[in-house]
């Protein structure tokens, strides 16, 4: 028994002595059938490109139609024999994973907040935004691969969805932390709809330790500043990137290693708004391709340096959590105000309906008396009252759910902040002073 254990350990150490390289691709496909321009042609272009490029992992967002996923699955059956489509919401989560390596397990977590159903022209609520997890064995390593798509930012100056996106970022980091404990490497790709310095991005990266491939790469080839939504893309309206003239960076490939494997990004490239020999690009977003390198972990950091790094990170996390709690509280107050307005409107509708029924009862009891209102008007007014009551009732329920979700997230952040403060007080005074 002891000999077999030693033999297995020797095999593992030999396997980990060589570096592994994994090529990761991420793209928001903008695949809204009958609404997105040249949708069928673009999927054909994407499938052709992916079958030739030979990426190890392909992480796609906004594949809203399962028919489009099945088309890509058939197209990539030879180059990427393993795939999974994450189903969620009314029209699906839009998330899909294609891989050269076998997918051993999958899981989907749907965000508790995702916009408003009455904002139908935005459509985020119907999409069921979520994060998908695929557990993949790459060589001798277990890789947790995540693909996600967060709520869009439609107006930076008056961003009514910011509290929802902050809660989504909070739930995303929780999901990654709690599910990746046994993983050797972690890879997250997707459209976060957040700028690098936005609150949600800082919260996600600081809490999970995920590293940005654009900031970590040794070689970059792509749009200026790594932008993934650029003005040179013919599908982009300048209103979408206001107040930024050239573009914004909202799509990411993030990664981190573990005690067993170290990770680095040797190269990163993006598309640049056009595709050679084609009249239009793959999508309104630019695609990212990162070459990630896995190396055996060698610990060379002394305890003192590591402790100082931990102290800085904890202090930064406390500030970020405080900022996030403030933003969630703003959203909470707004939701409470909207619920109060819905309740008040519902009471007014109920009072109008009661008044109408009282008038009807008076003339019904006074036999032979003629009604003062035409019957059509009377029935239309009754239908209006019922419509008001039903709408306000549904809105009241929706805002109550939103309030509960915001309160739950704020409570979690408060507890996490208390734990961090306690951890901060536990550092030696010499480190705290430094």
């Amino acid at each position: 028994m002891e000999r077999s254990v030693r033999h297995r350990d020797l095999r593992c150490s030999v396997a980990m002595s060589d570096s592994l390289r994994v090529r990761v691709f991420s793209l928001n496909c903008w695949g809204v059938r009958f609404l997105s321009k040249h949708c069928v042609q673009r999927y054909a272009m994407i499938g052709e490109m992916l079958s030739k490029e030979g990426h190890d992992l392909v992480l796609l967002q906004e594949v809203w139609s399962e028919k489009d996923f099945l088309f890509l699955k058939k197209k990539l059956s030879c180059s990427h024999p393993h795939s999974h489509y994450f189903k969620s919401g009314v029209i699906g989560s839009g998330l899909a994973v294609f891989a050269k390596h076998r997918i051993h397990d999958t899981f989907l977590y749907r965000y508790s907040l995702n916009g408003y159903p009455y904002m139908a022209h935005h459509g985020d609520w119907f999409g069921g935004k979520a994060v998908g997890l695929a557990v993949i064995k790459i060589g001798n390593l277990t890789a947790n691969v995540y693909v996600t798509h967060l709520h869009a930012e439609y107006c930076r100056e008056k961003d009514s969805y910011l509290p929802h996106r902050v809660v989504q970022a909070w739930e995303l980091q929780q999901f990654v932390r709690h599910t990746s404990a046994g993983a050797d490497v972690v890879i997250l790709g997707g459209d976060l709809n957040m700028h690098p310095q936005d609150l949600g991005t800082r919260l996600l990266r600081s809490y999970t330790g995920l590293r940005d491939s654009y900031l970590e790469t040794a070689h970059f080839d792509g749009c200026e500043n790594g932008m993934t939504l650029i003005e040179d893309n013919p599908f982009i309206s300048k209103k979408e990137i206001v107040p930024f003239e050239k573009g914004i960076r909202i799509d990411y490939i993030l990664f981190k290693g573990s005690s067993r494997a170290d990770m680095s990004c040797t190269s990163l490239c993006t598309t640049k708004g056009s595709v050679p020999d084609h009249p239009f690009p793959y999508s309104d977003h630019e695609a990212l391709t990162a070459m990630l390198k896995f190396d055996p972990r060698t610990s060379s950091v002394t305890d003192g340096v590591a402790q100082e790094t931990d102290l800085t990170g904890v202090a930064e996390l406390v500030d970020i959590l405080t900022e996030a709690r403030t933003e969630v509280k703003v959203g909470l107050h707004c939701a409470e105000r909207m619920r109060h307005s819905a309740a008040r409107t519902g009471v007014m509708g109920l009072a109008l309906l009661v008044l109408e029924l009282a008038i009807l009862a008076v003339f019904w009891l006074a036999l032979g008396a003629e009604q003062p209102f035409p019957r059509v008007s009377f029935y239309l007014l009754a239908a209006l009252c019922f419509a008001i009551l039903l709408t306000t009732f549904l809105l009241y329920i929706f805002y109550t759910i939103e309030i509960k979700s915001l309160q739950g997230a704020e409570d979690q952040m408060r507890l996490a902040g208390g734990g961090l403060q306690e951890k901060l007080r536990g550092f030696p005074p010499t480190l705290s002073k430094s």
Side-chain angles (χ1 to χ4, degrees):
M1 179 67 180
E2 185 178 352
R3 184 177 297 175
S4 63
V5 171
R6 287 179 180 175
H7 180 66
R8 185 181 61 191
D9 292 343
L10 179 62
R11 257 189 332 183
C12 292
S13 63
V14 170
M16 280 304 298
S17 63
D18 299 328
S19 298
L20 291 174
R21 293 178 184 270
V22 174
R23 200 158 175 242
V24 183
F25 177 90
S26 178
L27 173 66
N28 180 324
C29 297
W30 190 43
V32 186
R33 280 205 165 199
F34 312 114
L35 293 178
S36 300
K37 297 178 180 177
H38 310 294
C39 193
V40 175
Q41 297 93 322
R42 287 190 295 104
Y43 271 119
M45 290 166 53
I46 293 170
E48 181 183 0
M49 178 268 295
L50 291 176
S51 63
K52 293 179 179 178
E53 290 294 324
H55 303 91
D56 295 281
L57 295 172
V58 175
L59 310 176
L60 302 180
Q61 308 93 53
E62 288 205 23
V63 185
W64 295 119
S65 172
E66 194 168 355
K67 290 183 179 179
D68 294 325
F69 166 75
L70 294 175
F71 166 78
L72 290 174
K73 182 177 181 178
K74 183 178 180 180
K75 184 78 174 178
L76 304 178
S77 57
C78 295
S79 59
H80 299 82
H82 309 287
S83 60
H84 185 75
Y85 184 65
F86 295 95
K87 301 175 183 178
S88 173
V90 178
I91 59 175
S93 67
L95 305 176
V97 175
F98 296 87
K100 284 185 175 180
H101 309 273
R102 180 174 296 278
I103 299 175
H104 291 273
D105 198 5
T106 60
F107 187 75
L108 179 78
Y109 175 78
R110 184 175 176 180
Y111 298 122
S112 61
L113 292 175
N114 189 37
Y116 305 100
Y118 51 81
M119 301 294 282
H121 59 295
H122 288 164
D124 292 76
W125 186 84
F126 298 95
K129 297 290 180 67
V131 52
L133 162 65
V135 180
I136 301 175
K137 201 78 171 179
I138 302 177
N140 199 45
L141 298 175
T142 299
N144 273 25
V145 179
Y146 301 88
V147 58
T148 190
H149 186 195
L150 271 59
H151 199 293
E153 177 188 80
Y154 293 98
C155 179
R156 194 158 182 86
E157 288 76 17
K158 297 179 180 179
D159 189 4
S160 57
Y161 298 114
L162 180 56
H164 285 210
R165 207 158 45 251
V166 170
V167 172
Q168 287 181 346
W170 172 255
E171 293 177 347
L172 175 58
Q173 67 82 18
Q174 281 190 314
F175 183 74
V176 171
R177 282 194 304 115
H178 293 308
T179 57
S180 64
D184 297 314
V185 294
V186 175
I187 300 170
L188 187 150
D191 177 7
L192 300 185
N193 275 311
M194 298 184 294
H195 298 235
Q197 294 304 316
D198 282 356
L199 173 59
T201 310
R202 289 184 283 119
L203 181 65
L204 172 63
R205 290 191 56 210
S206 298
Y207 234 111
T208 59
L210 288 168
R211 297 153 62 191
D212 188 347
S213 56
Y214 173 73
L215 300 177
E216 300 284 338
T217 185
H219 174 74
F220 175 73
D221 178 28
C223 302
E224 182 182 352
N225 298 322
M227 294 181 296
T228 58
L229 216 61
I230 60 174
E231 64 172 352
D232 293 335
N233 190 306
F235 296 138
I236 291 295
S237 168
K238 289 190 176 182
K239 294 180 180 179
E240 297 181 52
I241 55 177
V242 169
F244 306 94
E245 294 182 359
K246 295 184 178 180
I248 54 179
R249 183 163 79 96
I250 58 176
D251 300 87
Y252 301 82
I253 294 178
L254 308 176
F255 64 91
K256 74 170 182 177
S258 65
S259 59
R260 191 173 170 213
D262 193 15
M263 287 187 72
S264 59
C265 181
T266 58
S267 67
L268 176 71
C269 63
T270 70
T271 51
K272 301 176 182 179
S274 60
V275 179
D277 303 323
H278 289 283
F280 40 78
Y282 297 116
S283 173
D284 59 343
H285 287 239
E286 302 307 312
L288 292 84
T289 302
M291 180 66 78
L292 302 179
K293 183 182 177 184
F294 306 162
D295 291 302
R297 168 72 73 178
T298 55
S299 180
S300 59
V301 182
T302 61
D303 291 341
V305 175
Q307 209 166 17
E308 286 191 37
T309 305
D310 288 344
L311 174 63
T312 306
V314 170
E316 181 184 358
L317 263 179
V318 170
D319 293 338
I320 294 174
L321 265 181
T322 302
E323 188 178 350
R325 284 186 64 191
T326 302
E327 195 58 54
V328 170
K329 285 179 180 178
V330 170
L332 184 59
H333 293 320
C334 181
E336 288 173 341
R337 187 170 63 250
M338 294 298 290
R339 184 174 69 170
H340 178 71
S341 298
R344 186 172 54 192
T345 306
V347 169
M348 292 172 61
L350 180 62
L352 186 60
L353 180 62
V354 170
L355 179 62
E356 187 178 13
L357 291 175
I359 295 173
L360 178 64
V362 168
F363 288 97
W364 181 71
L365 292 174
L367 299 176
E370 295 184 0
Q371 293 186 13
F373 308 110
R375 284 193 173 186
V376 175
S377 300
F378 196 82
Y379 292 150
L380 286 176
L381 184 59
L384 177 62
C385 292
F386 276 114
I388 291 174
L389 280 174
L390 179 61
T391 303
T392 54
F393 176 70
L394 294 176
L395 285 175
Y396 187 87
I397 292 176
F398 175 80
Y399 287 125
T400 299
I401 294 173
E402 182 184 16
I403 288 170
K404 296 293 185 183
S405 298
L406 289 167
Q407 286 174 338
E410 201 275 329
D411 287 342
Q412 294 167 9
M413 291 178 184
R414 176 176 50 81
L415 289 172
L420 290 173
Q421 291 283 7
E422 191 172 320
K423 186 177 180 181
L424 201 58
R425 288 193 294 268
F427 281 100
T430 53
L431 287 175
S432 298
K433 289 179 181 178
S434 62

